[in-house]
Amino acid sequence: EDKVVQSPLSLVVHEGDTVTLNCSYEVTNFRSLLWYKQEKKAPTFLFMLTSSGIEKKSGRLSSILDKKELSSILNITATQTGDSAIYLCAGHNTNAGKSTFGDGTTLTVKP
Amino acid sequence: DTGVSQNPRHKITKRGQNVTFRCDPISEHNRLYWYRQTLGQGPEFLTYFQNEAQLEKSRLLSDRFSAERPKGSFSTLEIQRTEQGDSAMYLCASRDSTRELFFGEGSRLTVL
């Protein structure tokens, strides 16, 4: 059974801090690692990582995949209160055509 | 609005009743997924359609759960003889050939 584990489960920081969220995966026929942000409603897509060592960047967020270590990190620099959310990572099994999600990291950014 | 649409958004039912949720995916997306999410957990895969074919169903899914996508467009998820443990947010998502999922806002089920 495919499995994705995220750490830490929760994190409280102050505005301006930098955070690193971790994701490890055991996914059969692995194709991609995806990051989502979930505020009060549905998850919204952040990044898809397919190749090892290539950083994806969007504003203050960046992410990288390490296929040797079966892991990925999501970095957020200069955090803002609007970054408060649950960050989910998911491993995509290309044969099954489905993504398996971790339980998320709940990030709280205090003013 | 051309996003994924789910209804009803909230459903409160008594134990033992049947409930049905509907999902309208993004029109050009041929893949449709149902996930279930409870507090403090990530979305848990339930089932997946490519067009009208149901390609995979979670082995953890009770026989009380059934899903259809009769014409390869909208989908329904039915839960028969609901139990309190079925209380959760039921999320529908769709995608095209990319692996990025587009989620609806979910249908929250409360079983009393």
Side-chain angles (χ1 to χ4, degrees), chain B residues 3-81:
Chain B
V4 177
S5 175
Q6 292 188 245
N7 65 81
R9 295 289 309 283
H10 303 274
K11 178 73 177 177
I12 300 173
T13 191
K14 291 183 179 179
R15 190 175 54 184
Q17 298 296 303
N18 299 344
V19 297
T20 299
F21 300 116
R22 175 177 169 130
C23 172
D24 288 89
I26 293 171
S27 58
E28 58 267 28
H29 287 182
N30 61 356
R31 295 167 174 86
L32 185 148
Y33 297 78
W34 286 98
Y35 284 84
R36 174 172 63 190
Q37 188 175 27
T38 53
L39 195 63
Q41 307 283 315
E44 174 195 5
F45 172 80
L46 296 180
T47 190
Y48 153 49
F49 292 85
Q50 183 165 330
N51 299 312
E52 65 275 10
Q54 187 173 19
L55 295 189
E56 186 162 341
K57 185 175 174 180
S58 170
R59 287 177 289 164
L60 302 175
L61 202 59
S62 159
D63 289 345
R64 297 182 296 104
F65 287 70
S66 62
E68 293 184 339
R69 194 183 182 196
K71 296 182 181 178
S73 56
F74 74 92
S75 174
T76 58
L77 176 69
E78 182 184 17
I79 309 173
Q80 296 182 325
R81 305 181 303 282

Side-chain angles (χ1 to χ4, degrees), chain A residues 1 32 36 38 42 97 99, chain B residues 33 35 37 56 59 99 101 104:
Chain A
E1 196 76 26
S32 302
Y36 293 83
Q38 185 173 26
S99 289
Chain B
Y33 297 78
Y35 284 84
Q37 188 175 27
E56 186 162 341
R59 287 177 289 164
R99 289 171 284 282
L101 290 170

Side-chain angles (χ1 to χ4, degrees), chain A residues 82-93:
Chain A
D83 295 326
S84 296
I86 300 171
Y87 290 85
L88 296 163
C89 75
H92 191 82
N93 178 325

Side-chain angles (χ1 to χ4, degrees), chain A residues 6-80:
Chain A
Q6 293 186 245
S7 64
L9 290 180
S10 65
L11 194 54
V12 180
V13 300
H14 288 94
E15 274 192 316
D17 289 349
T18 294
V19 297
T20 298
L21 310 182
N22 301 289
C23 175
S24 63
Y25 62 90
E26 295 175 24
V27 173
T28 309
N29 302 302
F30 174 80
R31 185 71 181 98
S32 302
L33 193 289
L34 299 101
W35 285 95
Y36 293 83
K37 178 181 182 181
Q38 185 173 26
E39 296 174 268
K40 291 186 178 177
K41 297 178 180 177
T44 55
F45 172 76
L46 292 174
F47 296 113
M48 181 170 69
L49 304 156
T50 302
S51 300
S52 223
I54 298 175
E55 184 181 55
K56 289 275 183 93
K57 199 170 171 65
S58 176
R60 296 175 293 101
L61 277 67
S62 64
S63 185
I64 196 162
L65 177 66
D66 185 338
K67 288 172 127 175
K68 188 176 176 185
E69 297 295 326
L70 306 182
S71 66
S72 175
I73 59 171
L74 175 69
N75 284 315
I76 308 174
T77 59
T79 51
Q80 302 172 357

